[in-house]
Amino acid sequence: MKTTLITGINGQDGSYLAEYLLSLGYTVIGLLRRSSSPNLKRIGKVIDKITLEYGDLLDEVSLQRIFKKYPIDEVYNLAAQSFVGLSWEQPIYTSDVNAMGTLKLLEVIRTTSPKTKFYQASTSEMFGMVQEVPQNENTPFYPRSPYGVSKLYAHWMSVNYRESYNIFACSGILFNHESPRRGNEFVTKKIINAIKKNEILRLGNIYSKRDWGYAQEYVEVMYKMLQQNTPEDFVIATGETHTIKEFVETAFAFTGEEIHFEGKDLDEKGYTKSGRLVLEIDQQFYRPAEVNLLVGDASKAKRLLNWEPKVKFNELIEIMMKSDE
Ligand code: NAP
Ligand code: F7E
């Protein structure tokens, strides 16, 4: 039976990954930050089946302690300050956690447990101002936020530890993936929540495009990457891209209502058919630099990992609209 450490276990992906690895018979250890209020909701289903260890990516000693205590076969490094918008408010903190935190973990592996396999949660945000369409493993990077830059550092460090020290390190370059467990500040969940609560939706740029997949499916491919004979990096995406505006329209359609954008296409005010104003554009949600278009080419994952996504845009929205989570 294998033992795994999941950092970020109580996040969206960590919770699904914990469920998946438990179903495969793994012993699951989760790294958890102490909080003064409850933060275990997402792992409620599995809380009795996993072991939680207090620690922090910023605190190397806590990582060393966990590696001393358990023989860890695989680490999934999902912990991060993952909100792109906040990364302009807290660029140093974001970099400390995402970049230096990952390096600390890699150093603990190198010095105490070099046979441990390592998964790094890389991101399509590293493509930023995209240099080609669609983006694949060979597309040059051009991050557009402190978050993207911090993740690019961690990505290259993972590659470097693989090449320098023969650490079995894989980076999954995952495009946006959502679920009912998505954090409330991310645009998909924000839209779903407002529609469900009948509240006015206040958004920033509704014309950026994202390649949205389903988180529960995406965590399975993290596991697959670590089961290969040789460590490699993979783009994980659906190959479809949609604007935020299309997400709003499609989610609204599930309520039986339609949303109309007043006037010409570029007019941002959104009304339902009955004339109720449901969407307002709010400058505070615009970003200093935007990633306008993301669409991934996951053909390498299909070829080598026999993985492809089943849930696409409409079904994803349906799952989120219908869920009580
Ligand atoms: P998430 O829901 O925001 O979860 C992040 C997790 O990291 C939480 O458990 C959080 O714990 C933990 N964390 C934050 N700072 C930490 C620290 N200093 N030490 C230890 N734990 C810390 O993110 P997600 O959507 O599941 O994403 C998982 C990973 O994939 C992240 O690294 C993200 O950057 C990356 N990624 C996500 C996407 C996506 O579309 N979801 C796409 C590509 C890559 P608290 O609860 O204590 O805050
Ligand atoms: O923004 C626009 C915003 O915050 C998506 C993270 O998981 O995926 C995620 O990053 C788009 C952007 O996700 C609002 O400007 C408009 O163009 O949901 P988001 P993200 O920035 O794509 C990547 C792959 C990660 O790695 C990250 O960790 O939506 N947008 N109005 C808005 N976004 C938000 N959050 N809120 C708005 O009101």
Side-chain angles (χ1 to χ4, degrees), residues 82-84 123-125 147 174-176 182 185-188 190 202-206 208 210 244 285 287 290-291:
S82 74
F83 188 42
V84 174
T123 164
S124 51
E125 282 293 301
Y147 170 81
L174 271 56
F175 283 60
N176 297 53
R182 187 56 140 154
E185 68 273 48
F186 297 92
V187 79
T188 57
K190 187 172 168 182
R202 292 192 172 80
L203 296 178
N205 177 15
I206 57 171
S208 60
R210 289 292 182 276
I244 315 302
F285 298 113
R287 293 173 178 177
E290 182 59 280
V291 171

Side-chain angles (χ1 to χ4, degrees), residues 128-175:
M129 174 113 64
V130 297
Q131 302 295 295
E132 63 178 337
V133 180
Q135 297 85 53
N136 63 36
E137 293 78 7
N138 299 317
T139 302
F141 298 118
Y142 191 145
R144 290 272 281 171
S145 62
Y147 170 81
V149 175
S150 72
K151 282 285 185 173
L152 189 51
Y153 176 93
H155 178 79
W156 281 119
M157 272 298 171
S158 306
V159 173
N160 186 258
Y161 271 54
R162 180 167 76 211
E163 294 177 353
S164 305
Y165 306 116
N166 220 13
I167 302 283
F168 194 107
C170 297
S171 268
I173 306 174
L174 271 56
F175 283 60

Side-chain angles (χ1 to χ4, degrees), residues 8-14 31 33 39 42 56-58 78-82 93 97 121-123 147 151 174-178 182:
I9 193 160
N10 59 331
Q12 172 186 254
D13 291 6
L31 182 76
R33 297 196 292 180
N39 62 351
R42 292 187 180 109
D56 195 305
L57 274 194
L58 297 174
L78 309 184
Q81 190 306 87
S82 74
Y93 173 73
V97 176
S122 285
T123 164
Y147 170 81
K151 282 285 185 173
L174 271 56
F175 283 60
N176 297 53
H177 46 280
E178 318 294 313
R182 187 56 140 154

Side-chain angles (χ1 to χ4, degrees), residues 278-312:
V278 290
L279 170 69
E280 270 182 354
I281 298 302
D282 188 331
Q283 291 303 319
Q284 71 167 299
F285 298 113
Y286 275 81
R287 293 173 178 177
E290 182 59 280
V291 171
N292 292 317
L293 164 71
L294 288 173
V295 58
D297 168 8
S299 51
K300 180 180 174 188
K302 186 175 178 190
R303 194 162 32 84
L304 297 183
L305 304 176
N306 193 24
W307 181 90
E308 58 183 329
K310 292 178 202 76
V311 176
K312 299 281 179 79

Side-chain angles (χ1 to χ4, degrees), residues 190-199 248 251-252 255 321:
K190 187 172 168 182
I191 294 167
I192 301 281
N193 282 347
I195 293 176
K196 283 187 179 173
K197 290 183 190 158
N198 241 339
E199 285 172 358
V248 174
F252 252 96
T255 67
M321 283 299 293

Side-chain angles (χ1 to χ4, degrees), residues 70-88:
Y70 305 97
I72 294 168
D73 298 294
E74 296 174 2
V75 177
Y76 295 86
N77 183 32
L78 309 184
Q81 190 306 87
S82 74
F83 188 42
V84 174
L86 183 78
S87 76
W88 278 279

Side-chain angles (χ1 to χ4, degrees), residues 53 56 61 76 85 103 158 208 228 254 264-265 274 276 306:
E53 287 285 346
D56 195 305
V61 175
Y76 295 86
L103 178 56
S158 306
S208 60
Q228 293 293 290
F254 282 98
K264 291 200 185 88
D265 191 38
S274 58
R276 196 163 53 91
N306 193 24

Side-chain angles (χ1 to χ4, degrees), residues 44-58:
K45 278 189 192 169
V46 293
I47 196 84
D48 297 333
K49 300 186 186 110
I50 60 179
T51 304
L52 294 172
E53 287 285 346
Y54 280 116
D56 195 305
L57 274 194
L58 297 174

